[in-house]
Amino acid sequence: MGIRVLGTGSYLPPKVVTNEDIAKSLDTTDEWIYSHTGIHSRHVAGEGESTSTMAVKAAQAALESSGVKPEEIGLIVVATSTPDYNPFPSTACVVQGALGCVNAGAFDLQAACAGFVYALEQARGFVNFYPDKKAVVIGAEALTRILDWTDRSSCILFGDGAGAVVIGNDEPPGVASLKTKAHTILGADGKGAHFISRTGGCKDALPLAPTGIPAKTPASEPELVLMGHDVFAFAVRTLSKVARDLCEKLGTCPEELDRVFAHQANGRIIEAVARRMKLPLEKFWLNLETTANTSAASIPISLDQAVRSGELRDGMKIVMVGFGAGLTYGGTYCTWPEL
Ligand code: UT7
């Protein structure tokens, strides 16, 4: 009884780009990429696909597995850094229309790769407040659309895809349910905003025309800045600290965890986190060998794969933990599927 995940879904586009494919036009090799990241290939959104179309497919699968009807949904949150439109309408509104969730409010949430953990927390608050309503939480990204495919140090890292969960409260009506079972930490360190950034926003003033009004200028090519070493160190430090702090808050220890769903940016980051937490690597769900870093989609895709393969079962103690541009970080401890 209480707030719980009622269903999961995910979608990976069929087009696959391997490291060898990238090495045909860039000075790199499968050996370098795999040994430095743990990535062999990634899925890439194709013609007619976008963040919203992938989000819709993942959400439809989650709705189907939950048995919840689109009209029962009261809120849709899409965590993404690669919305269909920049910045409006929100991808969540496009998804709401496509799903036929006529009773749902919808908004996008931008917390980069930690976005799913942030979005889940917002939706959990909503469902807690409106116990008769259900929510869809989606992490969806078309990152390959914003990469500089001539920059070998960043374009090799990312892939596209979407994952979704349906959450709801199955307390009997009238039972006040401020007793949630999950425990969450959300945080940020804006001093590291320059570690991962993308230009093309509204930060800079436009030049003025002689009339004194802004002159319309051709938009310059947005640029992705990635300070890999700094992000790597932050990720290792933060993922292990958040997971440990969550366990400590609950009077338990990492060894008691059955599974860790950590944001997958680089396999070496996960290995270092496992060492710091003194946990065997087998406790970490790993799929980045074939998905690469799917940012906000990485945790919900992993959850869905783990549920469907039977490796994530009811009653398991898990931690979901992410970090990303901002810098953002967040983690949730729960006894699956209770939130
Ligand atoms: O989700 C948040 C975003 N994710 C991240 O920010 C990822 C975090 N960081 C990382 O995963 C790693 O820092 C990278 C994979 C990005 C880089 O790995 P690294 O082991 O830190 O390599 P490096 O940046 O120290 O580069 C070592 C060398 C350099 O050559 P020189 O200067 O030593 O001659 C690079 O130019 O490797 C070179 N290099 C490559 N060589 C072949 C960088 N990328 C490549 C490549 N192929 N793709």
Side-chain angles (χ1 to χ4, degrees), residues 11-191:
Y11 175 78
L12 291 166
K15 183 175 167 50
V16 170
V17 171
T18 64
N19 294 345
E20 282 93 351
D21 293 333
I22 295 176
K24 284 176 196 152
S25 56
L26 272 187
D27 180 16
T28 189
T29 59
D30 176 47
E31 197 280 326
W32 192 97
I33 300 172
Y34 188 69
S35 62
H36 284 73
T37 67
I39 297 164
H40 264 316
S41 60
R42 71 284 293 141
H43 294 261
V44 173
E47 198 67 36
E49 290 191 305
S50 69
T51 295
S52 71
T53 68
M54 295 186 288
V56 166
K57 289 209 164 92
Q60 281 169 334
L63 282 168
E64 198 174 309
S65 77
S66 70
V68 172
K69 297 189 190 67
E71 52 275 22
E72 291 177 69
I73 300 299
L75 180 70
I76 297 173
V77 190
V78 176
T80 186
S81 301
T82 48
D84 280 15
Y85 299 93
N86 186 13
F88 50 80
S90 70
T91 300
C93 280
V94 179
V95 170
Q96 187 256 16
L99 290 175
C101 292
V102 290
N103 298 311
F107 69 90
D108 286 358
L109 185 150
Q110 206 289 92
C113 307
F116 180 76
V117 177
Y118 269 68
L120 188 61
E121 194 58 10
Q122 307 313 305
R124 195 158 69 96
F126 172 83
V127 168
N128 201 31
F129 207 72
Y130 302 104
D132 55 328
K133 299 193 177 180
K134 316 236 179 308
V136 180
V137 186
I138 305 168
E141 302 282 11
L143 284 154
T144 63
R145 300 258 164 95
I146 64 163
L147 297 176
D148 175 355
W149 282 97
T150 64
D151 177 9
R152 67 178 183 171
S153 62
S154 61
C155 75
I156 55 156
L157 296 171
F158 299 97
D160 302 333
V165 297
V166 175
I167 70 168
N169 191 338
D170 57 6
E171 291 284 6
V175 175
S177 68
L178 277 172
K179 50 173 179 20
T180 61
K181 290 170 184 139
H183 291 260
T184 298
I185 291 172
L186 299 180
D189 179 4
K191 295 263 188 294

Side-chain angles (χ1 to χ4, degrees), residues 243-258 277 279 283 317 319 333:
R244 277 187 178 287
D245 286 355
L246 282 168
C247 290
E248 204 172 294
K249 257 180 144 182
L250 290 161
T252 183
C253 55
E255 297 81 69
E256 296 294 316
L257 294 172
D258 294 304
M277 291 179 68
L279 287 182
K283 288 211 174 178
K317 295 184 178 64
V319 161
Y333 176 106

Side-chain angles (χ1 to χ4, degrees), residues 28 32 36 113 152-153 196 226 228-229 231 263 265-266 268 293:
T28 189
W32 192 97
H36 284 73
C113 307
R152 67 178 183 171
S153 62
I196 322 172
L226 179 70
H229 279 277
V231 179
H263 167 55
N266 183 322
R268 284 162 50 220
N293 177 352

Side-chain angles (χ1 to χ4, degrees), residues 184-209:
T184 298
I185 291 172
L186 299 180
D189 179 4
K191 295 263 188 294
H194 58 292
F195 285 3
I196 322 172
S197 64
R198 186 168 184 261
T199 58
C202 308
K203 180 169 163 284
D204 298 321
L206 293 174
L208 296 183

